[in-house]
Each structure stands twice: as structure tokens, then as C-alpha cells.
């Protein structure tokens, strides 16, 4: 059994109610409540207290810079800088879309029990050269492996196959391991498929990723530069924590681990926003630890002014979540700017999604608060979403950076 140390993990408990209700979270691990958010590499290591992938976890062989669907707009590769003689360089070739290989999918779907399915796995390896639905041998092999893994639940098999066909993501299993939860003791995480009574978690995941696909495509249509936010070709590792409900999720290396008994996973909307939070961490890390460099001056300035005082922090916090006995999750000591950035990303996603659907916001736009909000909003939009902002301009004094 793998033993992984997650000392001082801070989880994220997001309000499941419609704003402006305040969610009060209960500490579980040393300041852990639900979702252990582990930035993926490459990029600088996260702050103390962030989770790491369990030893032996698979890191996908995909380009760190998001590309393809969910990454830069097709054909938007940079042409590079001019040569010393003043002539223009040749356009750079577009990077191929990220993808999960058949070997990676096999390891993801059968992390601990491949021997028990040896005959079926071998049959998938010997599979046909492709069909209309699966144009390459590798794609066909992954579809065969999905059918084998989910053979006890045809509906779940169909959902997992559609998720792979449409978005390139593979719904597999986490490895069994122990998580060191500090004063809460050791947490036992065991692999469990989202099938039968738990099939809704797979369906919620697929629905969330489809929503992200439409969201990115709609923003890209009016963005002034390429949208660089990868949400496709993800490794999804499902598990259950024994006699516990934490962590709800954690992410590393273009992999998101999802707890079927996670305290956050109570509805499709809650799962959708939790996944967006986790996937943002992956993109943040893939952009070289962007939040640390870009948002630290804003974040540090707010903390210097307000400390942990809720009344002072209220105008600056992207979301309403308050840690029990602490302050806003976005500014909880130990979380750091990476969690402020992930909460900002959720607020951006929530408001842009509403604007794209012609819905009124439940509260004033975040960017229309203090000037720090507008600067952070603009920086995030430019880095990941091509500068797109479909939220109406602020009334009165301009709130643009």
C-alpha cells in the first residue's frame, strides 16, 4: 500500500447556496476541510501545506502549455520574434492537442488490478485498426479498455466512453494509499468506480467538462488573443475515503482525483465549480506558477492592509466561503495567493457564464469593487481567457486597471 504524506493540507469548502449566503467550513485535516488543491508541475512548488500527488501517480505525457481544444485557438501559434537582420521568422508550428495515450489510459483504468484483467487487457491490445467512431488504433484500444473496466454498468460505460470520445478525458481509478492528515490521523483512500449508485458522479463530471468546453469556445469567439485554458484530456481518478469525507478532490499533473464520498459533491453545480477550481490550479502551474508572479503584489497589499479581519476583507474576497474560526478562504493564512487565484477564477467563470447566458448577476460584478479587484480580474482574463470579458462595464467611475 502506498503511503503519502500531506502535511498541513488546506482544503476548500465552497458555499453550495446561492450568494450572498456565507459558507462556514469545518476544519478537518490541519486546516483541511474538503478539497486538497495541489498545483501540477511544471512550475514552482506550491506553498507549505499543499498536497502532492501520491507516490507513483502517473503524470501524463502532455505539453505543459495548454493547446488544442481547451488551449490556444487553432492556428494561433506565435510567429516568434524578428531575426537580427529584420526579416520575419517562419511561423511556429501549432502544438498538437493534448492527449492521453492508450498505455496511459491502461495504467489509469487498472492501477492496482491489471493482473486480474490480463486476458481482457491483452484482447484490447490486439484490437482492430480502428472504426468510424474510433479512427485510430490507440483510440479504439482506450474505448476497449473503458468497456472492460465498466463492464458491470452499461450506462456508466457509455458515459465514460462518451467523455473520452468528446473530450479526451479518461475516467479511471486512484491508487489505494494512506494520506497523512496530521492531527486527524491517517486517511485511507481506496479506488472506487463511479458506477451504479455512484454513477451520478461520472455524469456530473462529464456535464461539467462539457460546460467548460462550451464556455471556453464562447469566450474564444470574442477574445482578443488566444484562450489558453486547458480542460480536456484530463486523467480522472475516482476514489473513496474510508470513514471520512475528505478530501473532496485534489489535482496534479493534469490529473484530478475525485472522492465519491467528498463533502462538496452534493450536486451537479457544486461538482462543476469544484472541478473548475481544481483545473485552474493545473493551468496556473502549467503557466509557470502564474498566480505567484502576477497576483502576489495585489494579494500581499490586501493582506497587509486587512490582515484576517473579515469586515476589511469582504470587498476583496472573490467568494463568500469563511473558514470556521478563521477568515475568508481566499485569505486564510497558509492558503496563499494560489487559492485566492483559484477562487478568483471561479468568480470569473461564474460571472462570465451568467453573462453569456443572458442572466443577471446575483450581486455586483467583482471587478466593480475596489481597484485591486479590477486589476486582478483583468490579469487573469488576459493570461488564460484571451482578455475576454462579457460582463457589462461598471456603472459610474471606471473600474478598469
Amino acid at each position: 500500500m502506498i503511503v503519502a504524506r500531506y502535511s498541513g493540507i488546506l482544503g476548500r469548502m465552497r458555499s453550495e447556496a446561492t450568494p450572498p449566503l456565507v459558507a462556514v467550513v469545518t476544519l478537518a485535516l490541519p486546516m483541511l476541510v474538503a478539497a486538497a488543491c495541489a498545483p501540477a508541475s511544471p512550475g514552482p512548488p506550491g506553498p507549505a501545506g499543499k498536497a502532492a500527488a501520491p507516490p507513483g501517480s502517473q503524470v501524463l505525457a502532455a505539453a505543459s502549455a495548454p493547446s488544442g481544444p481547451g488551449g490556444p485557438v487553432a492556428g494561433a501559434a506565435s510567429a516568434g520574434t524578428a531575426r537580427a537582420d529584420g526579416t520575419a521568422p517562419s511561423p511556429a508550428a501549432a502544438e498538437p492537442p493534448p492527449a492521453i495515450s492508450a498505455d496511459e489510459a491502461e495504467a489509469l483504468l487498472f492501477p492496482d488490478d491489471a493482473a486480474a484483467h490480463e486476458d481482457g487487457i491483452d484482447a484490447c491490445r490486439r484490437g482492430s485498426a480502428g472504426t468510424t467512431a474510433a479512427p485510430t488504433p490507440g483510440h479504439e484500444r482506450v474505448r476497449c479498455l473503458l468497456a472492460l473496466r465498466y463492464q458491470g454498468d452499461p450506462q456508466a460505460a457509455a458515459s465514460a466512453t462518451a467523455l473520452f470520445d468528446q473530450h479526451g478525458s479518461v475516467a479511471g481509478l486512484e491508487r489505494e494509499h494512506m494520506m497523512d492528515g496530521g492531527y486527524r490521523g491517517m486517511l485511507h483512500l481506496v479506488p472506487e468506480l463511479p458506477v451504479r449508485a455512484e454513477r451520478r458522479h461520472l455524469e456530473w463530471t462529464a456535464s461539467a467538462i462539457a460546460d467548460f468546453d462550451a464556455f471556453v469556445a464562447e469566450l474564444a469567439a470574442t477574445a482578443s488573443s488566444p484562450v489558453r485554458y486547458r480542460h480536456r484530456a484530463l486523467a480522472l481518478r475516482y476514489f473513496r475515503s474510508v470513514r471520512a469525507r475528505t478530501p473532496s478532490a485534489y489535482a496534479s499533473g493534469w490529473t484530478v482525483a475525485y472522492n465519491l464520498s467528498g463533502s462538496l459533491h452534493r450536486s451537479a453545480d457544486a461538482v462543476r465549480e469544484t472541478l473548475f477550481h481544481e483545473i485552474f490550479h493545473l493551468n496556473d502551474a502549467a503557466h509557470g506558477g502564474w498566480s505567484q508572479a502576477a497576483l502576489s503584489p495585489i494579494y500581499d497589499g490586501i493582506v497587509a492592509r486587512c490582515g484576517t479581519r473579515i469586515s476589511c476583507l469582504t470587498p476583496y474576497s472573490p467568494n463568500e466561503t469563511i473558514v470556521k474560526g478563521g477568515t475568508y478562504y481566499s485569505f486564510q493564512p497558509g492558503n496563499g495567493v494560489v487559492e485566492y487565484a483559484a477562487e478568483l477564477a471561479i468568480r470569473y467563470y461564474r460571472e462570465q457564464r451568467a453573462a453569456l447566458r443572458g442572466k443577471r448577476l446575483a450581486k455586483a460584478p467583482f471587478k466593480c469593487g475596489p481597484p485591486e479587484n479590477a486589476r486582478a480580474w483583468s490579469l487573469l482574463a488576459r493570461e488564460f481567457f484571451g482578455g475576454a470579458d462579457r460582463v457589462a462595464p461598471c456603472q459610474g467611475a471606471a473600474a478598469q486597471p
Side-chain angles (χ1 to χ4, degrees):
M1 181 183 299
I2 296 171
V3 178
R5 180 173 295 277
Y6 294 76
S7 59
I9 301 169
L10 178 61
R12 173 177 173 274
M13 176 68 79
R14 178 173 36 75
S15 172
E16 314 246 0
T18 301
L21 296 181
V22 175
V24 178
V25 299
T26 303
L27 296 176
L29 305 181
M31 300 168 66
L32 165 69
V33 288
C37 304
S41 57
K50 297 298 292 181
S57 287
Q58 182 180 18
V59 178
L60 300 184
S64 61
S67 59
V73 176
S78 170
T81 57
R83 297 191 181 98
D85 61 5
T87 61
S90 300
E95 293 182 2
I100 297 177
S101 72
D103 286 342
E104 291 166 341
E106 181 180 307
L108 177 62
L109 289 162
F110 301 93
D112 295 321
D113 61 346
H117 299 273
E118 184 176 1
D119 291 344
I121 292 172
D122 285 344
C124 290
R125 290 173 180 169
R126 298 191 302 268
S128 67
T131 66
T132 301
T136 67
H139 192 113
E140 177 68 13
R141 180 178 157 200
V142 175
R143 296 176 94 248
C144 178
L145 291 166
L146 286 166
L148 177 64
R149 178 80 277 179
Y150 285 88
Q151 60 185 336
D153 186 339
Q155 286 181 261
S159 293
T161 301
L163 178 63
F164 175 65
D165 284 343
Q166 296 167 18
H167 306 290
S169 295
V170 176
L173 290 166
E174 179 60 290
R175 291 179 172 84
E176 181 177 8
H177 65 281
M178 299 298 296
M179 175 186 289
D180 183 352
Y183 77 88
R184 289 288 181 176
M186 302 297 291
L187 292 175
H188 186 191
L189 308 187
V190 296
E192 184 171 336
L193 280 179
V195 296
R196 301 181 185 89
E198 305 297 351
R199 188 190 310 124
R200 67 188 184 281
H201 292 287
L202 177 59
E203 293 167 348
W204 287 344
T205 301
S207 176
I209 293 178
D211 188 275
F212 303 156
D213 210 31
F215 173 74
V216 168
E218 288 181 275
L219 284 185
T222 57
S224 59
S225 60
V227 172
R228 301 191 302 151
Y229 192 81
R230 175 174 164 183
H231 59 282
R232 299 170 64 99
L234 301 175
L236 304 168
R237 292 184 177 272
Y238 290 90
F239 70 95
R240 183 181 298 278
S241 50
V242 178
R243 294 186 297 276
R245 300 186 67 196
T246 57
S248 281
Y250 52 90
S252 182
W254 298 119
T255 298
V256 177
Y258 182 114
N259 188 352
L260 297 179
S261 58
S263 57
L264 290 181
H265 300 153
R266 298 173 181 172
S267 69
D269 286 343
V271 167
R272 183 168 49 77
E273 291 203 348
T274 296
L275 288 175
F276 199 88
H277 178 107
E278 298 299 333
I279 293 170
F280 175 81
H281 279 313
L282 300 178
N283 281 276
D284 188 10
H287 286 232
W290 170 83
S291 63
Q292 292 278 0
L295 297 184
S296 285
I298 297 172
Y299 177 85
D300 292 344
I302 296 170
V303 171
R305 181 181 305 118
C306 296
T308 60
R309 299 193 310 277
I310 290 175
S311 60
C312 182
L313 290 170
T314 295
Y316 303 102
S317 182
N319 287 310
E320 307 80 21
T321 307
I322 293 177
V323 176
K324 187 176 182 180
T327 190
Y328 284 107
Y329 179 82
S330 307
F331 294 99
Q332 178 70 23
N335 270 8
V337 69
V338 294
E339 294 300 332
Y340 167 79
E343 293 294 281
L344 176 66
I346 285 185
R347 183 68 176 268
Y348 175 89
Y349 165 62
R350 187 184 295 158
E351 292 192 7
Q352 299 298 330
R353 185 173 182 267
L356 289 166
R357 294 173 178 225
K359 295 183 178 180
R360 295 186 62 182
L361 299 179
K363 59 194 303 184
F366 183 74
K367 67 181 180 181
C368 298
E372 292 87 345
N373 293 8
R375 289 201 298 272
W377 183 270
S378 178
L379 288 169
L380 181 138
R382 288 203 302 265
E383 178 68 20
F384 297 100
F385 301 106
D389 187 359
R390 302 296 295 273
V391 176
C394 302
Q395 299 296 320
Q400 301 304 318

